[in-house]
Amino acid sequence: MKIIEANIDDMSGEFLGFLMEELFKHNALDVWYTPVYMKKNRPGVTVSVLCYPQEQEKLEEILLKETTTLGVRSYSAYRKKLERQLVKVNTPYGDIRVKMAYGEGIFKASPEYEDCRLAATIHGVPLREVYDVTMREFSKMNIRPKVTKTNV
Amino acid sequence: MKIIEANIDDMSGEFLGFLMEELFKHNALDVWYTPVYMKKNRPGVTVSVLCYPQEQEKLEEILLKETTTLGVRSYSAYRKKLERQLVKVNTPYGDIRVKMAYGEGIFKASPEYEDCRLAATIHGVPLREVYDVTMREFSKMNIRPKVTKTNV
Amino acid sequence: MKIIEANIDDMSGEFLGFLMEELFKHNALDVWYTPVYMKKNRPGVTVSVLCYPQEQEKLEEILLKETTTLGVRSYSAYRKKLERQLVKVNTPYGDIRVKMAYGEGIFKASPEYEDCRLAATIHGVPLREVYDVTMREFSKMNIRPKVTKTNV
Amino acid sequence: MKIIEANIDDMSGEFLGFLMEELFKHNALDVWYTPVYMKKNRPGVTVSVLCYPQEQEKLEEILLKETTTLGVRSYSAYRKKLERQLVKVNTPYGDIRVKMAYGEGIFKASPEYEDCRLAATIHGVPLREVYDVTMREFSKMNIRPKVTKTNV
Amino acid sequence: MKIIEANIDDMSGEFLGFLMEELFKHNALDVWYTPVYMKKNRPGVTVSVLCYPQEQEKLEEILLKETTTLGVRSYSAYRKKLERQLVKVNTPYGDIRVKMAYGEGIFKASPEYEDCRLAATIHGVPLREVYDVTMREFSKMNIRPKVTKTNV
Amino acid sequence: MKIIEANIDDMSGEFLGFLMEELFKHNALDVWYTPVYMKKNRPGVTVSVLCYPQEQEKLEEILLKETTTLGVRSYSAYRKKLERQLVKVNTPYGDIRVKMAYGEGIFKASPEYEDCRLAATIHGVPLREVYDVTMREFSKMNIRPKVTKTNV
């Protein structure tokens, strides 16, 4: 994996909100901003982008084009990840997908945010209520992912 | 005391560095920036200014003039403070002023930053070294402030 | 104006993203999150909501319902604001609205973010380019708002 | 309620960790630190303390004694809170208390952190596992607090 | 040295407080959390762990087990460090250990936090007082570490 | 490029302000501070320094000498940057330099902060006014940098 970073102290929050959308549109795996203290009493932001090596060039170009920065830096990171599998769970608020993650003797599960968000909005209930009911129903199903092989 | 605040998400760090100087020039007692998360994924900053009531109008005007904000908010705070007194301390790095603070059964002292900074730069020693030597010399002087009355 | 606040250390970022949408939907004037250090080494967030007094009760109810907090605090603030007026500006990227703010001897203007964002996306140009062209065109128009009266 | 605040830029993190303990020991209801940008490129911290009016004087004294600050500011806030009630839940990891909060048409519940932490440590299971099992068992009990009256 | 990192936006501060304890228990050299801005207006946290290569696998497992993350990233860093040596200093508040660090022409010293914390609590004096007295006594001892060789 | 980092939780903001000056004086390309949560409820700061490999040793020495840290870590990063060229622009507030950046099909320009700051202070106008006028004048000049070759 590649991590691309740039420090920005001469660009407003509005532009940074837009930039995040652009980066995700072009296959960034993750994008995040860290508040930092820069020279001359300037509140700044470090923009970080995680991506596959084949996307690096395009994403660096977006950073140089959409921001005021004159340079970006990058370095390599190794990534260890769990396998994922989705399962549909029937709840009083409709079907909600649950994401199961497993590997290395670990198993964990959590509801898909966008499904819960939609259900909470439609039914006018707290988001937490949708999460909790979904996990209770998922728990009753006693499902485990059909493990094939742990990829690392 | 008055506290004036404004949230800024459409202005760059460069301008905020400049703004801080302007606010201090016009008698702000303190100015600080807090990194905040604003709508639409925008990293923003809350600008806070502490001042006497008679300076409030001028400082709000600077905030409205030098920033992009369309409004500022303010509220009152009560301030409890210690008495201060300066004493000159003779050190191997020259005279350094020490600020004594006292009242409410409390006594504490610390060297003036700008004096130490100058001495460290001139003598090419770590800033910490100047602080430590100054406090050791101050400690030997066994000084206490001539208390008159605790103002609150 | 009222400011409502709550510290949250037992709720995830996902829920906070959702909460912000809910609060804006119910007439919050502004919502922002501040990262804070809480007891037992917990990274937390202070949720702040700015609103008119008549919306306070409803917004506090949302905070209590959608978050894990057991209590919210509130205080009053005075708000000084500039007058606003919108003007449409014709640019190579289509019509973009410019927001003029004025009062107290101040005049400033900036393009509407959502108009620029749309134009940048449609024409595939950097957001900055749309802003700059808009402000150049606006500057040529030599417009000033039809001042009626400064409300404070 | 009272909120006491002080900005600190000349004191290290070690001392702030200690200070938090001291403030909680003397009946602070909540204590939190906010990272802020202060003058002369100094990363600082705003110390905030929430307390009952009768504890204010003692807590301000601790702030003045244990920190380098020369003054503290305070203001009043109004607090709206839910009723709380504890119930013991029997789980495979032992008894865990669940805190129920209710009032204003709201009902929510969450396990006591310290109980879960202890159980997770003793049984060598993830903290999340203890929380989830506890909430599932609590959910089966179908308990509601014996409401008496909503205090505000 | 290895640095392991993961971004978390779907886990509460409570769990992160617990996680830090677990990571230190399993030989992390350092653990720290950075507040970050993540997609969909989510306040998140980057968890960072510094460790020796032989502890990496175990610590990554804990991160995957105790957090909601589906993947962790890691990279290598080179570490340059000073030599350390402890010396016991006799003070009016009991024996306090002072940590001396040296190498590369540098010598510095600071009191052990836990010793000072205990002494301040037992004697009911400010933590700062214990630090200052300890450093004054240490300074009188005129000690230098018995240098053997600077390791890097 | 090299990035040097150290976590600091036992040093005050005053010293960090001084440290930043020292690091820039010794050829750091960039220096920034990130607020982090460290063990034992300590607000800390990660100090980051970007530099050329030939400056690394000197800068690490400054970090070890001027801070309390017992060790620094470093890693390599690759840096992609745009070409820069300065052009003088005649404005009603005097000559202001504009920095043009180009390469990879990108062209962007922004006024030099220090020139604008000086002009704003001398003429008593908002910094924003100086920026805007400068960019309008620059835009009329219709200048493009004399491209030689993109260095990476």
Side-chain angles (χ1 to χ4, degrees), chain C residues 5-8 10-11 13 46 51 54 57 59 62 69-70 77 82 89 111 116 118 122:
Chain C
E5 294 191 332
N7 294 348
I8 312 263
D10 54 356
M11 196 174 148
T46 298
C51 66
Q54 61 268 30
E57 198 176 328
L59 289 164
I62 291 174
T69 197
L70 301 183
L82 299 175
V89 174
C116 294
L118 197 64
I122 289 171

mmCIF file with all atom_site columns, all heavy atoms in Angstrom, chain C residues 5-8 10-11 13 46 51 54 57 59 62 69-70 77 82 89 111 116 118 122:
data_model
loop_
_atom_site.group_PDB
_atom_site.id
_atom_site.type_symbol
_atom_site.label_atom_id
_atom_site.label_alt_id
_atom_site.label_comp_id
_atom_site.label_asym_id
_atom_site.label_entity_id
_atom_site.label_seq_id
_atom_site.pdbx_PDB_ins_code
_atom_site.Cartn_x
_atom_site.Cartn_y
_atom_site.Cartn_z
_atom_site.occupancy
_atom_site.B_iso_or_equiv
_atom_site.pdbx_formal_charge
_atom_site.auth_seq_id
_atom_site.auth_comp_id
_atom_site.auth_asym_id
_atom_site.auth_atom_id
_atom_site.pdbx_PDB_model_num
ATOM 1   N N   . GLU C 1 5   ? -24.252 22.013 24.638  1.00 0.00 ? 5   GLU C N   1
ATOM 2   C CA  . GLU C 1 5   ? -23.046 21.188 24.523  1.00 0.00 ? 5   GLU C CA  1
ATOM 3   C C   . GLU C 1 5   ? -23.164 19.888 25.307  1.00 0.00 ? 5   GLU C C   1
ATOM 4   O O   . GLU C 1 5   ? -23.853 19.806 26.320  1.00 0.00 ? 5   GLU C O   1
ATOM 5   C CB  . GLU C 1 5   ? -21.812 21.970 25.019  1.00 0.00 ? 5   GLU C CB  1
ATOM 6   C CG  . GLU C 1 5   ? -21.489 23.165 24.131  1.00 0.00 ? 5   GLU C CG  1
ATOM 7   C CD  . GLU C 1 5   ? -20.146 23.802 24.427  1.00 0.00 ? 5   GLU C CD  1
ATOM 8   O OE1 . GLU C 1 5   ? -19.691 23.721 25.575  1.00 0.00 ? 5   GLU C OE1 1
ATOM 9   O OE2 . GLU C 1 5   ? -19.558 24.384 23.491  1.00 0.00 ? 5   GLU C OE2 1
ATOM 10  N N   . ALA C 1 6   ? -22.471 18.872 24.815  1.00 0.00 ? 6   ALA C N   1
ATOM 11  C CA  . ALA C 1 6   ? -22.388 17.603 25.538  1.00 0.00 ? 6   ALA C CA  1
ATOM 12  C C   . ALA C 1 6   ? -21.054 16.963 25.200  1.00 0.00 ? 6   ALA C C   1
ATOM 13  O O   . ALA C 1 6   ? -20.592 17.053 24.067  1.00 0.00 ? 6   ALA C O   1
ATOM 14  C CB  . ALA C 1 6   ? -23.535 16.682 25.138  1.00 0.00 ? 6   ALA C CB  1
ATOM 15  N N   . ASN C 1 7   ? -20.439 16.335 26.198  1.00 0.00 ? 7   ASN C N   1
ATOM 16  C CA  . ASN C 1 7   ? -19.190 15.595 25.961  1.00 0.00 ? 7   ASN C CA  1
ATOM 17  C C   . ASN C 1 7   ? -19.523 14.142 25.743  1.00 0.00 ? 7   ASN C C   1
ATOM 18  O O   . ASN C 1 7   ? -20.289 13.562 26.514  1.00 0.00 ? 7   ASN C O   1
ATOM 19  C CB  . ASN C 1 7   ? -18.266 15.695 27.180  1.00 0.00 ? 7   ASN C CB  1
ATOM 20  C CG  . ASN C 1 7   ? -17.772 17.091 27.412  1.00 0.00 ? 7   ASN C CG  1
ATOM 21  O OD1 . ASN C 1 7   ? -17.925 17.950 26.541  1.00 0.00 ? 7   ASN C OD1 1
ATOM 22  N ND2 . ASN C 1 7   ? -17.181 17.332 28.565  1.00 0.00 ? 7   ASN C ND2 1
ATOM 23  N N   . ILE C 1 8   ? -18.938 13.552 24.740  1.00 0.00 ? 8   ILE C N   1
ATOM 24  C CA  . ILE C 1 8   ? -19.255 12.156 24.401  1.00 0.00 ? 8   ILE C CA  1
ATOM 25  C C   . ILE C 1 8   ? -17.976 11.341 24.333  1.00 0.00 ? 8   ILE C C   1
ATOM 26  O O   . ILE C 1 8   ? -17.074 11.677 23.572  1.00 0.00 ? 8   ILE C O   1
ATOM 27  C CB  . ILE C 1 8   ? -19.946 12.079 23.025  1.00 0.00 ? 8   ILE C CB  1
ATOM 28  C CG1 . ILE C 1 8   ? -21.072 13.106 22.906  1.00 0.00 ? 8   ILE C CG1 1
ATOM 29  C CG2 . ILE C 1 8   ? -20.371 10.670 22.712  1.00 0.00 ? 8   ILE C CG2 1
ATOM 30  C CD1 . ILE C 1 8   ? -22.430 12.602 23.191  1.00 0.00 ? 8   ILE C CD1 1
ATOM 31  N N   . ASP C 1 10  ? -18.382 7.693  24.655  1.00 0.00 ? 10  ASP C N   1
ATOM 32  C CA  . ASP C 1 10  ? -18.805 6.294  24.567  1.00 0.00 ? 10  ASP C CA  1
ATOM 33  C C   . ASP C 1 10  ? -19.704 6.084  23.353  1.00 0.00 ? 10  ASP C C   1
ATOM 34  O O   . ASP C 1 10  ? -20.687 5.360  23.405  1.00 0.00 ? 10  ASP C O   1
ATOM 35  C CB  . ASP C 1 10  ? -19.518 5.874  25.850  1.00 0.00 ? 10  ASP C CB  1
ATOM 36  C CG  . ASP C 1 10  ? -20.666 6.803  26.202  1.00 0.00 ? 10  ASP C CG  1
ATOM 37  O OD1 . ASP C 1 10  ? -20.871 7.814  25.504  1.00 0.00 ? 10  ASP C OD1 1
ATOM 38  O OD2 . ASP C 1 10  ? -21.369 6.504  27.180  1.00 0.00 ? 10  ASP C OD2 1
ATOM 39  N N   . MET C 1 11  ? -19.308 6.701  22.253  1.00 0.00 ? 11  MET C N   1
ATOM 40  C CA  . MET C 1 11  ? -20.117 6.651  21.043  1.00 0.00 ? 11  MET C CA  1
ATOM 41  C C   . MET C 1 11  ? -19.158 6.772  19.865  1.00 0.00 ? 11  MET C C   1
ATOM 42  O O   . MET C 1 11  ? -18.179 7.518  19.928  1.00 0.00 ? 11  MET C O   1
ATOM 43  C CB  . MET C 1 11  ? -21.038 7.862  21.082  1.00 0.00 ? 11  MET C CB  1
ATOM 44  C CG  . MET C 1 11  ? -22.181 7.800  20.142  1.00 0.00 ? 11  MET C CG  1
ATOM 45  S SD  . MET C 1 11  ? -23.236 9.249  20.498  1.00 0.00 ? 11  MET C SD  1
ATOM 46  C CE  . MET C 1 11  ? -23.839 9.517  18.837  1.00 0.00 ? 11  MET C CE  1
ATOM 47  N N   . GLY C 1 13  ? -17.646 7.400  15.877  1.00 0.00 ? 13  GLY C N   1
ATOM 48  C CA  . GLY C 1 13  ? -17.670 8.447  14.874  1.00 0.00 ? 13  GLY C CA  1
ATOM 49  C C   . GLY C 1 13  ? -18.824 8.305  13.882  1.00 0.00 ? 13  GLY C C   1
ATOM 50  O O   . GLY C 1 13  ? -19.404 9.302  13.432  1.00 0.00 ? 13  GLY C O   1
ATOM 51  N N   . THR C 1 46  ? -16.558 16.949 22.055  1.00 0.00 ? 46  THR C N   1
ATOM 52  C CA  . THR C 1 46  ? -17.600 17.843 22.547  1.00 0.00 ? 46  THR C CA  1
ATOM 53  C C   . THR C 1 46  ? -18.488 18.201 21.369  1.00 0.00 ? 46  THR C C   1
ATOM 54  O O   . THR C 1 46  ? -18.000 18.688 20.350  1.00 0.00 ? 46  THR C O   1
ATOM 55  C CB  . THR C 1 46  ? -17.013 19.140 23.145  1.00 0.00 ? 46  THR C CB  1
ATOM 56  O OG1 . THR C 1 46  ? -16.201 18.808 24.259  1.00 0.00 ? 46  THR C OG1 1
ATOM 57  C CG2 . THR C 1 46  ? -18.126 20.077 23.619  1.00 0.00 ? 46  THR C CG2 1
ATOM 58  N N   . CYS C 1 51  ? -28.165 27.650 18.270  1.00 0.00 ? 51  CYS C N   1
ATOM 59  C CA  . CYS C 1 51  ? -29.553 27.695 17.799  1.00 0.00 ? 51  CYS C CA  1
ATOM 60  C C   . CYS C 1 51  ? -30.307 28.892 18.376  1.00 0.00 ? 51  CYS C C   1
ATOM 61  O O   . CYS C 1 51  ? -29.844 29.550 19.308  1.00 0.00 ? 51  CYS C O   1
ATOM 62  C CB  . CYS C 1 51  ? -30.281 26.414 18.196  1.00 0.00 ? 51  CYS C CB  1
ATOM 63  S SG  . CYS C 1 51  ? -30.491 26.226 19.970  1.00 0.00 ? 51  CYS C SG  1
ATOM 64  N N   . GLN C 1 54  ? -36.003 29.249 20.569  1.00 0.00 ? 54  GLN C N   1
ATOM 65  C CA  . GLN C 1 54  ? -37.212 28.449 20.338  1.00 0.00 ? 54  GLN C CA  1
ATOM 66  C C   . GLN C 1 54  ? -36.918 27.038 19.819  1.00 0.00 ? 54  GLN C C   1
ATOM 67  O O   . GLN C 1 54  ? -37.808 26.185 19.797  1.00 0.00 ? 54  GLN C O   1
ATOM 68  C CB  . GLN C 1 54  ? -38.192 29.183 19.406  1.00 0.00 ? 54  GLN C CB  1
ATOM 69  C CG  . GLN C 1 54  ? -37.665 29.482 18.019  1.00 0.00 ? 54  GLN C CG  1
ATOM 70  C CD  . GLN C 1 54  ? -36.997 30.851 17.921  1.00 0.00 ? 54  GLN C CD  1
ATOM 71  O OE1 . GLN C 1 54  ? -36.431 31.334 18.904  1.00 0.00 ? 54  GLN C OE1 1
ATOM 72  N NE2 . GLN C 1 54  ? -37.051 31.454 16.764  1.00 0.00 ? 54  GLN C NE2 1
ATOM 73  N N   . GLU C 1 57  ? -35.260 23.318 22.919  1.00 0.00 ? 57  GLU C N   1
ATOM 74  C CA  . GLU C 1 57  ? -35.828 22.124 23.544  1.00 0.00 ? 57  GLU C CA  1
ATOM 75  C C   . GLU C 1 57  ? -35.787 20.921 22.598  1.00 0.00 ? 57  GLU C C   1
ATOM 76  O O   . GLU C 1 57  ? -35.386 19.820 22.986  1.00 0.00 ? 57  GLU C O   1
ATOM 77  C CB  . GLU C 1 57  ? -37.264 22.404 23.989  1.00 0.00 ? 57  GLU C CB  1
ATOM 78  C CG  . GLU C 1 57  ? -37.730 21.389 25.017  1.00 0.00 ? 57  GLU C CG  1
ATOM 79  C CD  . GLU C 1 57  ? -39.123 21.712 25.555  1.00 0.00 ? 57  GLU C CD  1
ATOM 80  O OE1 . GLU C 1 57  ? -39.456 22.921 25.639  1.00 0.00 ? 57  GLU C OE1 1
ATOM 81  O OE2 . GLU C 1 57  ? -39.872 20.756 25.857  1.00 0.00 ? 57  GLU C OE2 1
ATOM 82  N N   . LEU C 1 59  ? -33.835 20.424 20.035  1.00 0.00 ? 59  LEU C N   1
ATOM 83  C CA  . LEU C 1 59  ? -32.456 19.992 19.752  1.00 0.00 ? 59  LEU C CA  1
ATOM 84  C C   . LEU C 1 59  ? -31.838 19.247 20.940  1.00 0.00 ? 59  LEU C C   1
ATOM 85  O O   . LEU C 1 59  ? -31.092 18.284 20.753  1.00 0.00 ? 59  LEU C O   1
ATOM 86  C CB  . LEU C 1 59  ? -31.614 21.207 19.339  1.00 0.00 ? 59  LEU C CB  1
ATOM 87  C CG  . LEU C 1 59  ? -31.973 21.742 17.946  1.00 0.00 ? 59  LEU C CG  1
ATOM 88  C CD1 . LEU C 1 59  ? -31.416 23.152 17.734  1.00 0.00 ? 59  LEU C CD1 1
ATOM 89  C CD2 . LEU C 1 59  ? -31.491 20.808 16.843  1.00 0.00 ? 59  LEU C CD2 1
ATOM 90  N N   . ILE C 1 62  ? -33.084 15.749 20.779  1.00 0.00 ? 62  ILE C N   1
ATOM 91  C CA  . ILE C 1 62  ? -32.364 14.937 19.790  1.00 0.00 ? 62  ILE C CA  1
ATOM 92  C C   . ILE C 1 62  ? -31.020 14.479 20.351  1.00 0.00 ? 62  ILE C C   1
ATOM 93  O O   . ILE C 1 62  ? -30.613 13.323 20.204  1.00 0.00 ? 62  ILE C O   1
ATOM 94  C CB  . ILE C 1 62  ? -32.155 15.728 18.481  1.00 0.00 ? 62  ILE C CB  1
ATOM 95  C CG1 . ILE C 1 62  ? -33.510 15.932 17.791  1.00 0.00 ? 62  ILE C CG1 1
ATOM 96  C CG2 . ILE C 1 62  ? -31.199 15.005 17.538  1.00 0.00 ? 62  ILE C CG2 1
ATOM 97  C CD1 . ILE C 1 62  ? -33.464 16.818 16.567  1.00 0.00 ? 62  ILE C CD1 1
ATOM 98  N N   . THR C 1 69  ? -25.167 10.317 25.834  1.00 0.00 ? 69  THR C N   1
ATOM 99  C CA  . THR C 1 69  ? -24.986 11.217 26.976  1.00 0.00 ? 69  THR C CA  1
ATOM 100 C C   . THR C 1 69  ? -26.178 11.188 27.919  1.00 0.00 ? 69  THR C C   1
ATOM 101 O O   . THR C 1 69  ? -27.315 10.989 27.504  1.00 0.00 ? 69  THR C O   1
ATOM 102 C CB  . THR C 1 69  ? -24.733 12.672 26.512  1.00 0.00 ? 69  THR C CB  1
ATOM 103 O OG1 . THR C 1 69  ? -24.175 13.392 27.615  1.00 0.00 ? 69  THR C OG1 1
ATOM 104 C CG2 . THR C 1 69  ? -26.012 13.355 26.070  1.00 0.00 ? 69  THR C CG2 1
ATOM 105 N N   . LEU C 1 70  ? -25.891 11.414 29.201  1.00 0.00 ? 70  LEU C N   1
ATOM 106 C CA  . LEU C 1 70  ? -26.960 11.433 30.199  1.00 0.00 ? 70  LEU C CA  1
ATOM 107 C C   . LEU C 1 70  ? -27.373 12.858 30.540  1.00 0.00 ? 70  LEU C C   1
ATOM 108 O O   . LEU C 1 70  ? -28.291 13.073 31.299  1.00 0.00 ? 70  LEU C O   1
ATOM 109 C CB  . LEU C 1 70  ? -26.496 10.708 31.457  1.00 0.00 ? 70  LEU C CB  1
ATOM 110 C CG  . LEU C 1 70  ? -26.102 9.247  31.227  1.00 0.00 ? 70  LEU C CG  1
ATOM 111 C CD1 . LEU C 1 70  ? -25.721 8.593  32.540  1.00 0.00 ? 70  LEU C CD1 1
ATOM 112 C CD2 . LEU C 1 70  ? -27.231 8.460  30.569  1.00 0.00 ? 70  LEU C CD2 1
ATOM 113 N N   . ALA C 1 77  ? -25.596 33.150 24.446  1.00 0.00 ? 77  ALA C N   1
ATOM 114 C CA  . ALA C 1 77  ? -24.560 33.983 23.834  1.00 0.00 ? 77  ALA C CA  1
ATOM 115 C C   . ALA C 1 77  ? -25.258 35.083 23.048  1.00 0.00 ? 77  ALA C C   1
ATOM 116 O O   . ALA C 1 77  ? -26.401 34.931 22.609  1.00 0.00 ? 77  ALA C O   1
ATOM 117 C CB  . ALA C 1 77  ? -23.669 33.157 22.923  1.00 0.00 ? 77  ALA C CB  1
ATOM 118 N N   . LEU C 1 82  ? -23.455 40.338 10.306  1.00 0.00 ? 82  LEU C N   1
ATOM 119 C CA  . LEU C 1 82  ? -23.522 41.216 9.146   1.00 0.00 ? 82  LEU C CA  1
ATOM 120 C C   . LEU C 1 82  ? -24.792 40.912 8.348   1.00 0.00 ? 82  LEU C C   1
ATOM 121 O O   . LEU C 1 82  ? -25.358 39.823 8.439   1.00 0.00 ? 82  LEU C O   1
ATOM 122 C CB  . LEU C 1 82  ? -22.300 40.998 8.253   1.00 0.00 ? 82  LEU C CB  1
ATOM 123 C CG  . LEU C 1 82  ? -20.942 41.304 8.910   1.00 0.00 ? 82  LEU C CG  1
ATOM 124 C CD1 . LEU C 1 82  ? -19.799 40.927 7.968   1.00 0.00 ? 82  LEU C CD1 1
ATOM 125 C CD2 . LEU C 1 82  ? -20.845 42.777 9.292   1.00 0.00 ? 82  LEU C CD2 1
ATOM 126 N N   . VAL C 1 89  ? -23.781 35.865 -10.613 1.00 0.00 ? 89  VAL C N   1
ATOM 127 C CA  . VAL C 1 89  ? -22.664 36.301 -11.445 1.00 0.00 ? 89  VAL C CA  1
ATOM 128 C C   . VAL C 1 89  ? -22.524 35.356 -12.629 1.00 0.00 ? 89  VAL C C   1
ATOM 129 O O   . VAL C 1 89  ? -22.516 34.134 -12.455 1.00 0.00 ? 89  VAL C O   1
ATOM 130 C CB  . VAL C 1 89  ? -21.353 36.330 -10.627 1.00 0.00 ? 89  VAL C CB  1
ATOM 131 C CG1 . VAL C 1 89  ? -20.166 36.637 -11.530 1.00 0.00 ? 89  VAL C CG1 1
ATOM 132 C CG2 . VAL C 1 89  ? -21.458 37.357 -9.511  1.00 0.00 ? 89  VAL C CG2 1
ATOM 133 N N   . PRO C 1 111 ? -18.111 33.446 -3.176  1.00 0.00 ? 111 PRO C N   1
ATOM 134 C CA  . PRO C 1 111 ? -19.013 32.630 -3.988  1.00 0.00 ? 111 PRO C CA  1
ATOM 135 C C   . PRO C 1 111 ? -19.706 31.573 -3.136  1.00 0.00 ? 111 PRO C C   1
ATOM 136 O O   . PRO C 1 111 ? -19.148 31.117 -2.141  1.00 0.00 ? 111 PRO C O   1
ATOM 137 C CB  . PRO C 1 111 ? -18.077 31.940 -4.992  1.00 0.00 ? 111 PRO C CB  1
ATOM 138 C CG  . PRO C 1 111 ? -16.751 32.593 -4.849  1.00 0.00 ? 111 PRO C CG  1
ATOM 139 C CD  . PRO C 1 111 ? -16.692 33.194 -3.490  1.00 0.00 ? 111 PRO C CD  1
ATOM 140 N N   . CYS C 1 116 ? -20.346 26.506 -6.793  1.00 0.00 ? 116 CYS C N   1
ATOM 141 C CA  . CYS C 1 116 ? -18.997 26.292 -7.322  1.00 0.00 ? 116 CYS C CA  1
ATOM 142 C C   . CYS C 1 116 ? -18.692 24.805 -7.426  1.00 0.00 ? 116 CYS C C   1
ATOM 143 O O   . CYS C 1 116 ? -18.091 24.341 -8.388  1.00 0.00 ? 116 CYS C O   1
ATOM 144 C CB  . CYS C 1 116 ? -17.963 26.935 -6.407  1.00 0.00 ? 116 CYS C CB  1
ATOM 145 S SG  . CYS C 1 116 ? -18.077 28.732 -6.361  1.00 0.00 ? 116 CYS C SG  1
ATOM 146 N N   . LEU C 1 118 ? -20.737 22.325 -7.840  1.00 0.00 ? 118 LEU C N   1
ATOM 147 C CA  . LEU C 1 118 ? -21.465 21.751 -8.963  1.00 0.00 ? 118 LEU C CA  1
ATOM 148 C C   . LEU C 1 118 ? -20.762 22.093 -10.279 1.00 0.00 ? 118 LEU C C   1
ATOM 149 O O   . LEU C 1 118 ? -20.523 21.217 -11.119 1.00 0.00 ? 118 LEU C O   1
ATOM 150 C CB  . LEU C 1 118 ? -22.895 22.321 -8.972  1.00 0.00 ? 118 LEU C CB  1
ATOM 151 C CG  . LEU C 1 118 ? -23.911 21.555 -9.813  1.00 0.00 ? 118 LEU C CG  1
ATOM 152 C CD1 . LEU C 1 118 ? -24.116 20.147 -9.266  1.00 0.00 ? 118 LEU C CD1 1
ATOM 153 C CD2 . LEU C 1 118 ? -25.246 22.302 -9.847  1.00 0.00 ? 118 LEU C CD2 1
ATOM 154 N N   . ILE C 1 122 ? -19.166 19.493 -12.944 1.00 0.00 ? 122 ILE C N   1
ATOM 155 C CA  . ILE C 1 122 ? -19.687 19.418 -14.315 1.00 0.00 ? 122 ILE C CA  1
ATOM 156 C C   . ILE C 1 122 ? -18.593 19.711 -15.353 1.00 0.00 ? 122 ILE C C   1
ATOM 157 O O   . ILE C 1 122 ? -18.452 18.995 -16.338 1.00 0.00 ? 122 ILE C O   1
ATOM 158 C CB  . ILE C 1 122 ? -20.859 20.416 -14.506 1.00 0.00 ? 122 ILE C CB  1
ATOM 159 C CG1 . ILE C 1 122 ? -22.088 19.929 -13.724 1.00 0.00 ? 122 ILE C CG1 1
ATOM 160 C CG2 . ILE C 1 122 ? -21.206 20.578 -15.992 1.00 0.00 ? 122 ILE C CG2 1
ATOM 161 C CD1 . ILE C 1 122 ? -23.214 20.926 -13.665 1.00 0.00 ? 122 ILE C CD1 1
#
